Amino acid sequence: MKKSLRRIAPAVALAFAATLSATAAHAGATLDQIKRKGELACGVSSGVPGFSATDSRGNWSGLDVDVCRALAAAVLGDASKVKWVPLGSQQRFSALQAGEVDILSRNTTWTLTRDASLGLAFTAITYYDGQGFLVPKSIKVTSAKQLRDAEICVQSGTTTEKNLADYFRRQGIRVKPVVFEKFDASLKAFFNGRCVAYTTDASSLAGIRAGEAPKPDDYLILPETISKEPLGPIVRRGDDEWFTIVKWVVYALIEAEELGVTRDNADKQAAGGDPAVGRLLGKTEDLGKPLGLDAQWAYRAVRAVGNYGEVFERNLGAGSPLRLPRGQNALWSQGGLMYAPPLR
């Protein structure tokens, strides 16, 4: 009998170890490095209103900015522990590949080629966008199909450039793309009259018109949306733990909106009896353990920036200069596409 127990004991120990490995908190190399540095290095755009831009005092704001603040709150306990790294279109992927940033939260479209060939991984969709056109009202154009032989300013190294060519080829309309490497140069050229139209994501066009146009009311965003542009944060491949943390922090903000948990009422909601709210906020269950975090990770993220709906309204919606409708970015339960897998 004793001999049998001696044979069984190692097997039981192995099974116990396997169980632990399935549930234990494992931080991952990126999170370990972030904790050692005491800050999250966040790659952002160099100035896209509504997503990532600075005010006159150098303070960053925007949807992409709030994603990094929520992450810093979740993993470091302090939303201010973020090092902002502005990156141009040409630099953004190489900076992440080289480890200069821990995450790229920079209105970047999720495509097959980028997902499969860069050694990077898209984590979640934070904004459903589409490409459009901005024109001066003075040219009397009300549709993109009236842009025959027009010179159109566009930034290189983006999906925008390919979409432009594909759209007008399908329409059988010849246009003349005027390509610029830098965002600022392309805008300057457009507002100086180098081109009759400017093209990029529709959300960016709204920000450009509100923040960059000499007289916003003199410019029109044409009604055509010519592409699908799902935007979201990206991380390096090979660190599954960090990938999982980024993904679930985004999902936690979406789930918070669905459950009615806001930045202001999170404490009151946590004290209530809703089991789903209790799980999300770490009151009744510890969903942080399998992520390598503590139980209050989602609570801190929501307290730092608010739920997804609050983030949207503050940066892009009615409470912002852009005044964009929720549209496809509404919750799935309200006719949109925003959906978080179950947090349980």
Side-chain angles (χ1 to χ4, degrees):
M1 184 65 179
K2 287 181 179 177
K3 193 174 181 179
S4 298
L5 284 175
R6 282 198 298 271
R7 284 200 299 266
I8 292 170
V12 171
L14 283 173
F16 181 64
T19 302
L20 276 181
S21 67
T23 58
H26 176 59
T30 304
L31 182 57
D32 286 343
Q33 182 178 324
I34 291 168
K35 287 182 174 178
R36 279 197 300 273
K37 293 185 301 183
E39 65 179 9
L40 170 74
C42 178
V44 292
S45 65
S46 53
V48 177
F51 289 89
S52 54
T54 55
D55 62 18
S56 58
R57 297 183 176 180
N59 298 314
W60 286 91
S61 66
L63 185 147
D64 291 340
V65 166
D66 280 345
V67 168
C68 284
R69 286 204 174 106
L71 266 171
V75 305
L76 294 172
D78 188 339
S80 71
K81 300 293 186 185
V82 183
K83 176 185 176 183
W84 304 108
V85 184
L87 297 168
S89 295
Q90 306 290 343
Q91 309 166 298
R92 53 184 162 175
F93 299 125
S94 59
L96 181 59
Q97 290 162 339
E100 296 171 19
V101 294
D102 302 309
I103 178 175
L104 190 63
S105 187
R106 188 199 175 285
N107 62 323
T108 299
T109 301
W110 187 339
T111 71
L112 182 152
T113 304
R114 289 171 174 174
D115 201 30
S117 65
L118 296 175
L120 307 175
F122 285 82
T123 56
I125 296 173
T126 53
Y127 189 84
Y128 290 93
D129 212 338
Q131 185 174 334
F133 299 91
L134 181 68
V135 298
K137 290 179 179 176
S138 58
I139 67 171
K140 309 293 185 185
V141 165
T142 57
S143 167
K145 295 176 183 176
Q146 296 174 282
L147 292 173
R148 185 177 299 278
D149 293 324
E151 292 183 317
I152 302 176
C153 286
V154 61
Q155 190 180 5
S156 64
T158 64
T159 53
T160 310
E161 191 179 358
K162 279 188 175 179
N163 293 336
L164 176 67
D166 289 350
Y167 174 74
F168 283 110
R169 188 176 296 117
R170 283 196 301 270
Q171 300 298 324
I173 297 172
R174 189 178 64 179
V175 297
K176 300 173 184 174
V178 181
V179 180
F180 296 86
E181 181 178 339
K182 295 187 176 179
F183 175 71
D184 291 344
S186 64
L187 276 190
K188 184 177 179 181
F190 171 64
F191 287 120
N192 284 342
R194 175 69 180 81
C195 311
V196 298
Y198 185 85
T199 185
T200 188
D201 294 348
S203 60
S204 294
L205 292 179
I208 290 167
R209 182 174 60 175
E212 304 291 338
K215 294 181 179 178
D217 289 341
D218 288 351
Y219 292 86
L220 172 71
I221 297 174
L222 299 179
E224 289 88 353
T225 300
I226 67 170
S227 70
K228 294 182 291 185
E229 306 292 333
L231 313 179
I234 313 170
V235 297
R236 284 181 295 281
R237 259 190 216 167
D239 189 337
D240 293 344
E241 290 78 16
W242 180 237
F243 170 85
T244 304
I245 288 170
V246 174
K247 177 173 58 177
W248 283 102
V249 166
V250 172
Y251 287 149
L253 300 183
I254 297 171
E255 179 81 351
E257 182 182 10
E258 187 166 345
L259 295 175
V261 179
T262 69
R263 179 157 58 176
D264 291 339
N265 74 12
D267 288 309
K268 184 178 179 181
Q269 290 271 37
D274 188 318
V277 173
R279 280 195 296 272
L280 173 69
L281 300 179
K283 190 71 175 179
T284 56
E285 295 182 32
D286 185 357
L287 295 180
K289 189 173 182 180
L291 295 173
L293 304 175
D294 62 29
Q296 278 74 47
W297 62 278
Y299 167 82
R300 289 193 300 273
V302 175
R303 284 287 292 141
V305 302
N307 64 41
Y308 178 81
E310 293 177 283
V311 171
F312 184 99
E313 290 303 315
R314 180 171 63 246
N315 296 302
L316 301 163
S320 78
L322 277 63
R323 299 180 183 176
L324 292 172
R326 282 292 292 268
Q328 294 177 322
N329 296 289
L331 293 176
W332 67 282
S333 55
Q334 298 173 11
L337 298 175
M338 279 297 165
Y339 183 101
L343 274 80
R344 65 169 72 101

